[in-house]
Amino acid sequence: MAFNKREKIQDLLSGDFLDTQVSIMGWVRTKRSNKNVSFIAMNDGSTIKNFQVVADPNQIEDDILRKCTTGACLKITGKIVASQGAGQQAELVAETIEILGEADPEKYPLQPKKHSLEFLREIAHLRVRTNTFGAVFRVRHALAFAVHKYFNDKGFFYIHTPIITASDAEGAGETFKVTTFDLKNPPLDEAGKIDYKQDFFERETNLTVSGQLEGELAAMGLAEIYTFGPTFRAENSNTTRHLAEFWMIEPEMAFHDAEDNQDLAEDFLKYIISYALENCKDDLEFLDKRAHEEEVTKKADQRAEMGLLERLKFVVDNKFERLSYTEAIEILRNSNPNKKKKFQYLIEEWGADLQSEHERYLVEKHFKKPVILTDYPKDIKAFYMRQNEDGKTVAAMDILFPGIGEIVGGSQREERLDKLTERMEEMDIPAEEMWWYLDTRRFGSTPHAGFGLGFERMVQFVTAMGNIRDVIAFPRTPGNAEF
């Protein structure tokens, strides 16, 4: 069959193959026929664009043409000729068609019509064959590649941090437990509690919520590292912004302070968005059009002010506005939506935890550019963030984007042993369980910083998909672990 001899549709559309004999393999998107000829639109996943195949009923058997239905997988061999119709410069005149896999039109769920995203989530094993999800996952690939390229070119080292861990980096307690025990009959200790000493790891373990703490350990010897892997949170949330299994990008850098951290994060975000703009033009143009069609169905006050491509260029072309949490609170407190009680969560005093509506107001209405917020109250941030001299705030930063709010969170880490142990005590984090983390402050400590980017949030932003479940191939959410 010579599978390795096939030509990809992407290459046929970008190269000069006129009068060349080729074989293509892919799936039928549509077929239309008259007495004299059949037109088959083929797609092989290499591009959002289809390639037209012209099949002469005198050349191809009726039984074969009948099986060339939407969803069927074909191998077609023939000659590339100049196209007679509009839409593409060349087409394939079929000489032979081989059915690699049939798709019964009575049963195949992806017929040529508009399907709702909710319906497509129910058939996530097939939805990648649609234009929308083909585009989303090609863009996701490009962004992932850009992440590795960016850090590699800057001399960072890729560290694989553990998926199974005994620590809860966020301290929220929303973790998935890992055990080999028979849950109906776990061994108990003398106090009647589960005896984890008898478990596989001889202690209580869970799936990681972050690779940050282990990343810090690596940065204390390799200076600049990053992690990029799956993380898990057992948060019973069914919003459009939450997943139980998601991917995190987490660089950690020795010899970096809070300002260095902000500089790197801004440069990194602009780089990966620019990479997508340069390398995913067809897919982003399709997604931009799709997003526009979705926007016009919304009420006027709920529509985004910018289209997708405009929004991406807006981030790349603008220097991010930097201001402190304290300055942001004053802006929000004096804003019209707050005064007129339009915010769902009113800003009344310093110390409030900002919500997405506040973050989007700062970006979209007040500054009209991406925003980096710094120096948050220590009481609403994690134990490992460096305490500022005022005793009230920490050297944290959040980066806010239009349409989505917070996309990056990070900080300069607390490198002073006394300050770190004091903060852990305040937050009831047992120092004896974190002895390994504290060792990095005991031996050769140095100022260091890092941040985390939720990869699915980034893909959401770059593709304009409204629901985070639509930017990961097989979403894991409460009550849903299908496929």
Side-chain angles (χ1 to χ4, degrees):
M1 187 175 276
F3 280 101
N4 60 328
K5 299 295 185 186
R6 78 179 178 98
E7 297 291 346
K8 292 186 178 181
I9 288 173
Q10 182 184 37
D11 296 333
L12 291 179
L13 291 169
S14 58
D16 183 8
F17 286 83
L18 283 179
D19 298 322
T20 305
Q21 194 83 1
V22 300
S23 291
I24 66 171
M25 298 177 198
W27 295 270
V28 178
R29 285 292 172 84
T30 59
K31 184 184 79 172
R32 54 190 175 85
S33 303
N34 57 41
K35 289 181 181 179
N36 302 318
V37 68
S38 288
F39 298 98
I40 303 170
M42 292 286 290
N43 189 283
D44 65 1
S46 62
T47 171
I48 197 165
K49 294 180 178 177
N50 299 329
F51 200 80
Q52 181 166 283
V53 174
V54 180
D56 184 343
N58 296 317
Q59 178 80 18
I60 309 296
E61 296 174 18
D62 282 350
D63 184 51
I64 294 290
L65 282 176
R66 272 197 302 273
K67 292 178 180 176
C68 295
T69 56
T70 297
C73 190
L74 313 179
K75 175 187 177 183
I76 305 177
T77 300
K79 184 182 281 189
I80 301 292
V81 300
S83 179
Q84 300 303 306
Q88 68 182 45
Q89 292 182 316
E91 60 193 17
L92 177 61
V93 176
E95 294 172 6
T96 64
I97 296 180
E98 186 177 341
I99 309 292
L100 301 179
E102 296 181 39
D104 184 343
E106 298 297 319
K107 297 177 180 177
Y108 183 58
L110 289 175
Q111 293 304 313
K113 64 176 185 177
K114 190 159 185 168
H115 296 285
S116 72
L117 296 176
E118 290 80 6
F119 170 73
L120 293 174
R121 271 176 228 131
E122 293 171 9
I123 54 166
H125 59 304
L126 297 174
R127 66 178 181 168
V128 73
R129 301 187 193 188
T130 65
N131 279 341
T132 296
F133 286 96
V136 166
F137 293 125
R138 280 187 294 270
V139 171
R140 182 181 172 112
H141 158 79
L143 290 169
F145 180 81
V147 168
H148 289 296
K149 179 167 170 50
Y150 177 85
F151 286 120
N152 181 71
D153 290 354
K154 283 201 168 286
F156 280 61
F157 299 104
Y158 180 29
I159 295 293
H160 298 97
T161 51
I163 290 174
I164 299 173
T165 178
S167 65
D168 175 5
E170 300 299 320
E174 296 164 334
T175 59
F176 289 99
K177 304 302 180 191
V178 175
T179 183
T180 58
F181 284 158
D182 176 358
L183 297 182
K184 293 178 182 175
N185 188 30
L188 305 177
D189 60 19
E190 291 177 0
K193 295 182 178 179
I194 294 175
D195 185 5
Y196 285 102
K197 286 285 185 187
Q198 297 185 49
D199 206 352
F200 186 89
F201 293 107
E202 299 183 5
R203 62 185 303 176
E204 199 170 348
T205 53
N206 50 267
L207 297 180
T208 186
V209 299
S210 168
Q212 179 205 314
L213 301 186
E214 293 87 353
E216 284 188 58
L217 309 186
M220 290 299 103
L222 294 169
E224 293 173 326
I225 66 93
Y226 72 105
T227 77
F228 185 3
T231 51
F232 308 84
R233 192 160 298 172
E235 184 178 358
N236 190 15
S237 174
N238 276 299
T239 76
T240 58
R241 292 161 56 89
H242 291 93
L243 290 165
E245 177 183 288
F246 52 99
W247 286 66
M248 285 290 289
I249 300 152
E250 297 171 291
E252 289 292 328
M253 299 79 64
F255 322 121
H256 278 56
D257 63 13
E259 188 176 350
D260 297 324
N261 202 31
Q262 293 164 39
D263 291 343
L264 183 82
E266 179 173 345
D267 187 58
F268 168 63
L269 291 169
K270 288 181 173 180
Y271 176 90
I272 60 176
I273 292 171
S274 296
Y275 186 91
L277 283 167
E278 289 167 18
N279 292 277
C280 303
K281 289 178 182 174
D282 291 340
D283 288 319
L284 289 177
E285 283 172 7
F286 169 83
L287 291 166
D288 181 51
K289 184 180 176 186
R290 183 199 159 278
H292 175 73
E293 290 169 356
E294 201 171 70
E295 286 295 319
V296 296
T297 66
K298 297 178 181 177
K299 294 178 181 176
D301 62 339
Q302 294 176 349
R303 291 176 195 161
E305 291 188 11
M306 291 181 279
L308 171 60
L309 290 171
E310 189 183 357
R311 197 157 60 234
L312 297 180
K313 289 168 184 168
F314 168 86
V315 169
V316 170
D317 294 342
N318 279 291
K319 183 167 176 54
F320 295 7
E321 186 73 28
R322 301 185 187 191
L323 71 156
S324 71
Y325 165 91
T326 301
E327 292 170 307
I329 283 291
E330 281 307 302
I331 291 168
L332 291 166
R333 191 158 45 190
N334 295 315
S335 68
N336 279 333
N338 201 58
K339 287 178 177 176
K340 294 179 178 179
K341 301 192 184 316
K342 294 277 182 72
F343 282 144
Q344 186 179 349
Y345 298 92
L346 295 179
I347 297 292
E348 293 173 347
E349 57 186 27
W350 190 91
D353 206 350
L354 301 186
Q355 304 297 320
S356 180
E357 61 180 346
H358 308 132
E359 295 165 346
R360 290 184 61 181
Y361 173 83
L362 292 169
V363 174
E364 296 166 30
K365 303 295 184 187
H366 190 81
F367 289 109
K368 297 189 183 297
K369 61 171 70 171
V371 168
I372 303 180
L373 281 189
T374 64
D375 303 311
Y376 280 78
K378 71 176 185 179
D379 291 342
I380 61 172
K381 288 295 182 180
F383 75 94
Y384 49 73
M385 296 188 176
R386 194 182 201 278
Q387 296 171 60
N388 291 329
E389 299 310 312
D390 61 14
K392 297 194 306 178
T393 62
V394 289
M397 70 147 181
D398 284 348
I399 299 183
L400 315 179
F401 268 16
I404 203 165
E406 182 201 337
I407 197 160
V408 160
S411 73
Q412 185 173 339
R413 312 312 189 191
E414 182 56 83
E415 85 280 9
R416 299 164 295 185
L417 180 63
D418 58 337
K419 293 284 188 183
L420 183 58
T421 51
E422 179 186 298
R423 187 75 181 122
M424 288 170 68
E425 197 173 314
E426 283 176 16
M427 297 181 74
D428 295 321
I429 296 169
E432 63 274 11
E433 289 184 16
M434 300 289 288
W435 63 270
W436 48 273
Y437 187 70
L438 295 173
D439 266 3
T440 60
R441 276 64 174 178
R442 291 189 181 101
F443 311 122
S445 186
T446 183
H448 62 290
F451 61 83
L453 167 64
F455 187 52
E456 281 71 28
R457 287 270 178 94
M458 190 72 217
V459 181
Q460 245 193 303
F461 179 75
V462 176
T463 60
M465 298 301 286
N467 194 316
I468 202 164
R469 301 175 193 208
D470 295 328
V471 297
I472 190 168
F474 305 106
R476 299 293 181 247
T477 53
N480 178 36
E482 197 68 77
F483 316 115

